[in-house]
């Protein structure tokens, strides 16, 4: 069952998404080698609670934290730990909030300290692929058009592995709603998108093989070859002419620009593909 949202409901989801991004921007300002996943989790939770909202992931199917913190070979669903981040770590931070009965969801991968050019390129391609997918979130197109755009760019053009087992999703009064939004697919296939559909698009892209497995903690998804993975996510409303991006990474990017221990992740085609 696909729930289409009214304009009022979309504005409520936007408010939730902007709070998620405010929490992630705070993370972007404090994350560095030497800080722990538990510390950034605690601070992100405070940002959310100060706003009168509730962390969206905490307690969801038993998940214990506000943030999913997935480092290096961690793809998604990592539990924040007491282990300090190290120079050279790439850390995916995924956050959700529940506010006014609607969820917001967004994620960003932070590159700490000295990072190899190979891994920086993975991050830039994955971040760019997110916007390539968003370009297809238009009335009349199909979910497969999004998946094709992401997969074609990441796998065919850049030879990375696009994760199959985890997908984007509809979002609203539930954190995960229909339809599933895979990061792979065929043009013109899958459910047709209509104005008012709100979806989270979230490419998960591996430097090596596309294969993943579950880590021993029962939560973290890791690459099967232990090579690094990247993850970026926006929640968007399908529009008549173009998608309306309800989350906003500008604050995160500004925080990173002012944080000397985190590398900026510029889009490959820069502003030209940034749909607003
Ligand atoms: Mg997310
Ligand atoms: Mg999501």
């Amino acid at each position: 069952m696909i729930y289409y949202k009214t304009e009022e409901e979309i504005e409520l989801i936007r408010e939730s998404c902007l709070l998620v991004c405010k929490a992630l921007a705070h993370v972007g300002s404090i994350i560095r080698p030497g800080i722990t996943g538990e510390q950034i989790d605690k601070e992100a939770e405070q940002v959310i609670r100060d706003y009168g909202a509730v962390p969206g992931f905490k307690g969801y199917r038993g998940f214990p934290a506000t943030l999913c913190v997935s480092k290096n070979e961690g793809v998604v669903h990592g539990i924040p730990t007491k282990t300090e981040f190290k120079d050279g770590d790439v850390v995916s931070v995924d956050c959700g909030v529940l506010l006014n009965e609607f969820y917001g969801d967004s994620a960003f991968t932070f590159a700490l300290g000295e990072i190899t050019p190979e891994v920086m390129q993975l991050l830039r391609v994955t971040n760019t692929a997110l916007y390539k997918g968003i370009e297809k979130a238009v009335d009349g197109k199909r979910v497969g058009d999004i998946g094709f755009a992401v997969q074609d760019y990441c796998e065919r053009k850049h030879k990375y592995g696009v994760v199959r087992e985890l997908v984007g999703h509809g979002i609203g009064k539930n954190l995960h709603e229909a339809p599933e939004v895979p990061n792979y697919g065929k043009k013109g296939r899958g459910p047709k998108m209509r104005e008012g559909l709100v979806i989270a698009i979230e490419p998960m892209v591996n430097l090596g093989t596309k294969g993943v497995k579950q880590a021993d903690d029962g939560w973290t998804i890791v690459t099967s070859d232990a090579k690094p993975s990247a993850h970026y996510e926006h929640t968007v409303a399908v529009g008549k002419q173009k998608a309306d991006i309800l989350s906003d990474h500008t604050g995160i990017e500004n925080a990173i620009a002012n944080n000397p221990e985190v590398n900026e992740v510029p889009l490959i085609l820069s502003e030209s593909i940034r749909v607003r």
Side-chain angles (χ1 to χ4, degrees):
M1 164 98 198
I2 291 179
Y3 300 99
Y4 291 90
K5 277 75 181 183
T6 65
E7 280 181 34
E8 292 74 19
E9 289 171 330
I10 288 171
E11 289 315 308
L12 291 174
I13 299 173
R14 191 193 309 277
E15 195 178 339
S16 301
C17 289
L18 292 179
L19 179 57
V20 166
C21 292
K22 198 174 159 149
L24 289 176
H26 181 65
V27 168
S29 71
I30 60 170
I31 196 168
R32 58 180 163 76
I35 201 170
T36 71
E38 275 193 0
Q39 285 174 286
I40 61 167
D41 185 74
K42 198 168 166 231
E43 296 224 10
E45 178 168 3
Q46 198 59 54
V47 172
I48 292 164
R49 302 241 184 239
D50 284 349
Y51 204 87
V54 175
F57 300 165
K58 206 170 193 172
Y60 183 81
R61 294 185 179 170
F63 190 77
T66 294
L67 302 177
C68 293
V69 178
S70 311
K71 190 175 68 176
N72 301 331
E73 73 275 15
V75 180
V76 287
H77 301 171
I79 299 171
T81 72
K82 291 185 197 314
T83 306
E84 290 182 358
F85 298 133
K86 294 194 301 285
D87 190 77
D89 281 345
V90 287
V91 186
S92 157
V93 182
D94 194 347
C95 183
V97 311
L98 177 60
L99 176 66
N100 300 319
E101 294 179 25
F102 284 91
Y103 283 92
D105 191 5
S106 191
F108 199 91
T109 299
F110 298 93
L112 310 188
E114 206 70 37
I115 303 281
T116 64
E118 186 186 37
V119 173
M120 276 316 297
Q121 179 70 356
L122 170 71
L123 267 53
R124 295 179 66 210
V125 167
T126 307
N127 196 14
T128 303
L130 167 60
Y131 292 93
K132 289 193 172 284
I134 290 170
E135 277 186 318
K136 306 296 180 195
V138 176
D139 188 282
K141 288 203 177 291
R142 291 180 182 269
V143 169
D145 294 318
I146 296 175
F148 178 83
V150 173
Q151 183 185 11
D152 187 61
Y153 184 64
C154 296
E155 285 193 345
R156 191 187 57 78
K157 188 146 193 274
H158 291 281
K159 310 297 177 205
Y160 296 137
V162 170
V163 174
R164 302 293 197 274
E165 289 82 350
L166 299 137
V167 295
H169 50 91
I171 181 168
K173 288 195 173 181
N174 307 285
L175 180 58
H176 296 121
E177 295 183 355
E180 290 194 340
V181 184
N183 297 300
Y184 57 92
K186 292 192 167 71
K187 281 183 193 174
R189 300 285 185 86
K192 193 175 266 188
M193 295 179 283
R194 289 294 178 208
E195 193 175 19
L197 176 66
V198 178
I199 51 176
I201 302 176
E202 49 180 317
M204 290 154 256
V205 182
N206 302 343
L207 186 63
T209 177
K210 64 182 186 296
V212 296
K213 59 182 184 180
Q214 188 155 53
D216 294 338
D217 63 12
W219 275 106
T220 316
I221 304 297
V222 296
T223 57
S224 46
D225 61 5
K227 289 188 179 172
S229 183
H231 176 218
Y232 293 85
E233 177 179 28
H234 271 308
T235 296
V236 310
V238 171
K240 275 272 179 240
Q241 309 296 332
K242 62 174 187 169
D244 183 358
I245 307 180
L246 305 178
S247 43
D248 182 358
H249 287 173
T250 311
I252 302 169
E253 289 158 356
N254 290 340
I256 291 173
N258 290 307
N259 182 339
E261 300 190 86
V262 181
N263 295 276
E264 294 180 58
V265 187
L267 299 176
I268 286 169
L269 296 173
S270 191
E271 298 304 314
S272 64
I273 63 156
R274 187 174 287 233
V275 192
R276 286 283 180 211

